[in-house]
Every structure is written in C-alpha cells, then in structure tokens.
Amino acid sequence: MNRIVLGGITARAHRATSGFFLGSSRTLHSPSFATVPVDLSGSQPAEVNNLVQGQWKTSSTSNWLLDPLNGDPFIKVAEVQESEIKPFVDSLSRCPKHGLHNPFRAQERYLLFGEISAKSAQILGQPEVSEYFARLIQRVSPKSFAQALGEVTVTQKFLENFSGDQVRFLARSFAVPGNYLGQQSHGYRWPYGPVAIITPFNFPMEIPVLQLMGALYMGNKPILKVDSKVSIVMEQMLRLLHDCGLPKEDVDFINSDGKTMNKLLIEAKPQMTLFTGSSRVADKLAVDLKGRIKLEDAGFDWKILGPDVQEVDYVAWVCDQDAYACSGQKCSAQSILFIHENWTASELLSKIQHLAERRTLQDLTIGPVLTFTTESMLEHVDSLLKIPGSKLLFGGQELENHSIPKIYGALKPTAVFVPLEEMLKPHNFELATKEIFGPFQIVTYYKHDQLTEVLDVCERMHAHLTAAVVSNDPLFLQEVLGKSVNGTTYAGIRARTTGAPQNHWFGPAGDPRGAGIGTPEAIKLVWSCHREVILDIGPVPRNWELPPPS
C-alpha cells in the first residue's frame, strides 16, 4: 500500500531544484556504496528500506515523502507497521546483557571498530563523498551548503578521533587496592547490550552517526530510528559503514511512525534508549521505559549581552548565525536575546536585521521549516504583538516566490521585541518562552540592576540546552555563570550558541537523564555503565580458625 505521508498536498508546478544544491556546474556522481542519486526528485525518486538481522527489507506500507521545496513526492519510505515489528524485537532480544563485546569478551572488536572508524573517516574525507552527503542532506533538510558540509565534516572528524586504539581506550578500567593481600577492586565500563537510538530531522547525519558509533564502540547492539523525513541520509551512511567492515547484524535500522516505535520499545525492552527530540515525547518515553533512557531534548536557548559594548559588527553577525542559520532549526539556536541597556546606543539591532535580510531561498540560507507551518508561526507572532510594549523588529512575513508545501513553514527571519517587565508576568511568560523551531527569536533589553530578573527567566525556561554570555567582563561572567544552569555555556565576547568546537560536550545539565554526544566522556556516560569486579584470591591466612558468629 502506498500513501502520501503528509497527505492533502497536490503536487505544485515543478520547479528546477538543481540550482539550490549545486555550487558548481560539474556533475556530481554517486559514490560506489550509494544506492540513490544525489539529485533525486519527483521524476527521479528514491527508496528507503529497513535493516534487520543483517538483511535490507521493505514493508507492507510505503509512504511517499514530499519534496520540502516544491511538494513533489520524491522519496518512498518503507515504514514498518505495528504488525511487522517482531523481527526487530527478536533481533534485539538475541543480544545478551553482556553485549556484543566487553572488557572480558570478544576484545578484538574494540580494534575492529577502530579500523572501521579509520576507513570510514578516510572515505568520508574524499571530496566527492563529502559533497555527496552534503547535497543529500540539503535535499531532505534544506540548509545552506556550508551548513550541510559542516555537518559532514564534524562526522568525519569524529570518526578520525576514534580510529586506531582510541575505541579500546574508551573501555579503560581502574583498580583500587583492597583491605588485604589478594583483594583488589576493579571498575569496568560495561555495555548495556540491546539499546535503541531515536534521532530528529535537523541533523540527518551528525547526531545519528555520533550516537550510533558511540553505542557500537562500547559493545552494544543498537536499533536506530531516524526521522523518516531524512532517514535516507543514514541509510546511505550505513551502506558506507558496511563497506568499511561494519557487520550487518550489528545494527538494525527501522522506519516507522512514533506509535509503532513506542510499541517496539515496550516489547523489546532495550536496556537503554537514547532520545533526541521533543521534551513532551521524552517525558512520555521516560515513563514507558521505566527510566532506562538518556535525553537530549528541546531547548529554548538564551544569549545575554553584557555591559561591555565592543565588536558590534562581529556580535551582530554571530547573533544572526545563531538565530537564523539552518532556518533556526538547530537544538542550540538562539531563541531569546537579552541586550544590556549599554548597547542601545549602538546599531546592533539594525545590523542584525540587515544580515537577516541577506538570507535567500536561492542559496538555502533561509528555507523550509519542517515542524511548524507558516500559519502557526505567524499566529505566534500576532499573539506576542498583543503584549503591551511589544513590537515587530523585522520579518513577520511569509517568504516570497516560493513553492514550499503548506505542510511546512516558509517564514522570513523574524524578531519580536517583548519588554522584560511584561515577559516576567505569569500570563505572558509561557507565551514569550514558547519554542518555535524556526527562524524566530525574542529580543528584550535589561538594565544592570535587572540581571537577577534576566537570570530568573533563564532558570524558568524549560530544557535549555545551550546559552551564551557575550562579555569579557570577568565579574559579569562570574555572576552569570554562577547562577545559571543549562547544557553548554559559551562565554566571552565571541560566545555563540551554535559554533562550538567539533569535540565538545553537548547535552543538558541539571537532569540525571541528560545525555551528551561526541566526546569520550559522553560516549562512556551514555553507552556504558559501571561494573565492579572485586578479586579476592587469597591466600587464606595461615593457621586460620573458624571465628565466632558475628
């Protein structure tokens, strides 16, 4: 059975899409491992299958995904139905709790994954391969070529980082002397065994690859579910990994709706699930899975500009990048900007507006919003403008001359000013801090004696993942950093929320379910647990006698 997954859309007039993706006139050939062309379209569609027990499989139902730029059905996804989950449940159930390898068993697999990482990094670093994936990312999660290529580069560097012996170093143990001769306590990093990974649409390659490989490095058997809108990217990446030596039975890959995946998790009972996505779904899964979960959930991310005004052009550029790159669809995108009153004499806001208005659909520096419609975003803007003192700074209009289907959003980069004192009122706070996963931000000013109120707003916002404190004033930085809790805080005059180094911790703080990604610390925290083995080998003391009962 075939159906349009996001139904109700009539295919619009065809619009040539190659100009959106190809930065040069040369033809981009698909790499040898690839099964789909990079220039897929309604007239040249692609298919996405599932992988279970080492076999690529279809399903009884295929859903057609709509091209986010023109509404044409262009990818057919074999989506697993609730009645078809048994092979996936069985596959996970076959993985023992001690995992596919651990510090005592199949240790050669640590070396195997070091080799797989090295080979994958080498292939992904080839210009034709990195460009293939960057263009493929653009087709399903439209963003500028620089942003898409950056995602591929981060992934390639991650694989380089964990080449050679670096995988087995993740399993490094420690020993503590016991109380007497022959006794010693050993701590080991131990896999969970069967695990699940659920990742969102906005980073089709980086998030799933980093979490998948981390799970595999530590000895787990994962089932991977990527948002179906973009799962074609990971399907192709898995084929690359298979070419580089990844055993096909080590990873299952499933396309399904949320209800089916929820049923699979409840029946298969993975020992740990990594979920990246909405806070609402995260909280439901935490209950359904009895707490066996790690989360990187949604965030309303904040930036505070301190009292030391400097480098206005640079700060404006960073604010534009943080709020509007990838059309604002980054987990760490700038959602609210607190501006110290000292900046009012500068041209900061006018410079941010000028930079935002340079963005065009032609080069995908602004593009489709995949989780909010244009109508819903404009309704939110209208609601905010009813707050006393609020005003539209720029944007607030639909993109012009586009063919983005109505199931998606098409909004110009937008900023709305809301007075701080109004934002603090209970009936306004929830509205002003509602996350819009698109090219939208709230802007407000504060006086120096209002910093406590600003930090109160930051403290009350739900699940903020990243924050930035733009200042070189050490006392101001100390005051803000000492009173705020979030995931990753960037501090200094160059601070930004979306431009971290490749190898850094990224994940929420203050929540015991919080997950990280990409670093050795994150991999060990998320994908392994602590196991203690206490050796007590003697000798038994000479002339030992049975003691009295104690």
Side-chain angles (χ1 to χ4, degrees):
M1 181 177 76
N2 293 330
R3 63 185 173 88
I4 301 295
V5 67
L6 296 169
I9 302 298
T10 302
R12 294 160 184 265
H14 285 273
R15 178 175 183 174
T17 56
S18 60
F20 287 96
F21 312 108
L22 299 181
S24 65
S25 59
R26 68 181 181 84
T27 300
L28 182 61
H29 297 287
S30 298
S32 59
F33 61 83
T35 59
V36 301
V38 71
D39 54 343
L40 53 111
S41 64
S43 59
Q44 192 175 7
E47 292 189 25
V48 179
N49 292 316
N50 304 285
L51 179 65
V52 61
Q53 299 177 14
Q55 299 293 320
W56 288 103
K57 304 223 172 172
T58 59
S59 65
S60 62
T61 300
S62 294
N63 298 329
W64 280 96
L65 301 179
L66 303 183
D67 190 324
L69 291 171
N70 60 27
D72 289 346
F74 78 139
I75 300 176
K76 187 168 75 169
V77 180
E79 289 218 343
V80 173
Q81 305 301 296
E82 289 187 48
S83 60
E84 301 173 311
I85 64 173
K86 188 176 185 303
F88 296 91
V89 174
D90 291 345
S91 182
L92 273 190
S93 300
R94 291 175 185 173
C95 178
K97 286 185 179 180
H98 60 253
L100 300 178
H101 61 267
N102 60 53
F104 291 130
R105 179 181 179 276
Q107 297 98 324
E108 68 278 0
R109 282 173 54 89
Y110 291 113
L111 300 181
L112 170 67
F113 279 98
E115 294 174 2
I116 293 169
S117 295
K119 292 176 182 177
S120 302
Q122 180 192 21
I123 292 175
L124 202 54
Q126 296 172 4
E128 61 273 20
V129 177
S130 58
E131 185 170 346
Y132 170 81
F133 277 108
R135 302 303 185 192
L136 194 58
I137 290 169
Q138 283 190 295
R139 289 302 287 117
V140 293
S141 182
K143 58 182 80 173
S144 71
F145 181 72
Q147 291 288 328
L149 185 61
E151 186 176 340
V152 179
T153 300
V154 166
T155 304
Q156 191 265 340
K157 290 297 181 184
F158 167 84
L159 293 167
E160 276 187 355
N161 287 344
F162 292 98
S163 298
D165 283 331
Q166 297 307 312
V167 174
R168 66 173 166 186
F169 288 163
L170 290 170
R172 178 178 288 152
S173 61
F174 64 86
V176 178
N179 296 336
Y180 46 77
L181 180 64
Q183 187 184 63
Q184 199 172 53
S185 178
H186 293 261
Y188 295 94
R189 297 313 303 177
W190 205 260
Y192 289 103
V195 298
I197 303 169
I198 304 173
T199 63
F201 74 91
N202 55 333
F203 285 88
M205 181 183 221
E206 180 181 339
I207 295 177
V209 171
L210 269 58
Q211 294 292 17
L212 174 68
M213 297 306 289
L216 290 167
Y217 293 157
M218 300 312 295
N220 302 288
K221 158 121 187 214
I223 181 171
L224 172 65
K225 182 196 179 311
V226 182
D227 189 313
S228 294
K229 291 191 291 291
V230 300
S231 61
I232 194 169
V233 177
M234 268 313 293
E235 191 215 43
Q236 296 304 298
M237 185 63 196
L238 281 170
R239 294 179 188 276
L240 183 154
L241 291 169
H242 291 157
D243 271 11
C244 294
L246 173 67
K248 287 187 177 180
E249 298 81 7
D250 280 14
V251 179
D252 292 335
F253 177 68
I254 186 171
N255 296 282
S256 72
D257 61 19
K259 184 180 176 184
T260 299
M261 189 64 189
N262 191 261
K263 179 178 175 64
L264 188 154
L265 292 174
I266 291 172
E267 291 193 12
K269 297 182 177 61
Q271 290 295 106
M272 214 288 292
T273 293
L274 180 282
F275 176 79
T276 305
S278 116
S279 300
R280 178 184 59 80
V281 176
D283 289 339
K284 180 185 186 306
L285 285 175
V287 174
D288 291 346
L289 302 178
K290 298 179 171 58
R292 297 190 301 269
I293 192 167
K294 288 288 186 181
L295 305 176
E296 283 188 292
D297 56 1
F300 192 87
D301 304 301
W302 48 265
K303 178 182 290 181
I304 300 175
L305 303 189
D308 45 330
V309 180
Q310 53 184 304
E311 303 292 350
V312 177
D313 286 334
Y314 184 86
V315 172
W317 172 74
V318 169
C319 287
D320 169 71
Q321 284 292 109
D322 284 350
Y324 305 122
C326 298
S327 301
Q329 296 173 104
K330 291 188 177 184
C331 304
S332 55
Q334 176 179 302
S335 303
I336 188 167
L337 177 63
F338 297 96
I339 305 176
H340 192 280
E341 61 181 343
N342 289 356
W343 291 79
T344 56
S346 74
E347 297 180 349
L348 177 71
L349 286 179
S350 62
K351 290 179 182 293
I352 294 175
Q353 178 178 354
H354 171 70
L355 293 170
E357 290 174 347
R358 296 190 308 169
R359 297 180 174 275
T360 68
L361 186 59
Q362 281 63 44
D363 58 10
L364 291 180
T365 50
I366 193 70
V369 176
L370 301 189
T371 54
F372 282 85
T373 64
T374 306
E375 182 181 14
S376 64
M377 290 187 287
L378 292 177
E379 285 178 356
H380 183 64
V381 172
D382 290 340
S383 297
L384 288 168
L385 293 178
K386 293 176 183 176
I387 297 176
S390 297
K391 60 182 178 181
L392 181 67
L393 295 176
F394 53 83
Q397 296 178 325
E398 185 173 353
L399 291 175
E400 299 168 349
N401 303 319
H402 73 83
S403 53
I404 296 170
K406 290 188 179 297
I407 50 168
Y408 296 138
L411 184 72
K412 291 182 178 180
T414 298
V416 174
F417 175 84
V418 179
L420 180 61
E421 56 273 15
E422 290 293 332
M423 191 185 307
L424 290 168
K425 294 178 180 178
H427 57 280
N428 291 331
F429 182 83
E430 185 174 350
L431 176 64
T433 59
K434 177 182 178 181
E435 184 183 15
I436 300 296
F437 208 52
F440 175 84
Q441 66 172 320
I442 297 289
V443 177
T444 193
Y445 282 107
Y446 71 99
K447 297 179 180 178
H448 202 80
D449 59 4
Q450 291 179 304
L451 182 59
T452 298
E453 285 88 341
V454 169
L455 295 177
D456 179 58
V457 172
C458 297
E459 186 73 20
R460 289 162 58 194
M461 289 185 298
H462 178 68
H464 42 278
L465 281 173
T466 61
V469 189
V470 181
S471 173
N472 278 344
D473 182 332
L475 294 179
F476 182 81
L477 289 174
Q478 182 174 342
E479 185 172 7
V480 175
L481 296 175
K483 293 180 179 178
S484 60
V485 177
N486 59 284
T488 302
T489 304
Y490 307 85
I493 197 62
R494 297 182 65 179
R496 54 185 302 179
T497 64
T498 64
Q502 181 272 325
N503 193 337
H504 80 291
W505 174 275
F506 183 83
D511 188 333
R513 303 170 301 174
I517 188 172
T519 64
E521 295 78 15
I523 292 171
K524 286 183 276 190
L525 172 81
V526 176
W527 295 116
S528 69
C529 61
H530 180 90
R531 183 184 181 190
E532 195 82 2
V533 176
I534 299 174
L535 292 179
D536 208 339
I537 59 176
V540 176
R542 185 176 299 177
N543 301 322
W544 180 85
E545 294 182 0
L546 182 69
S550 61

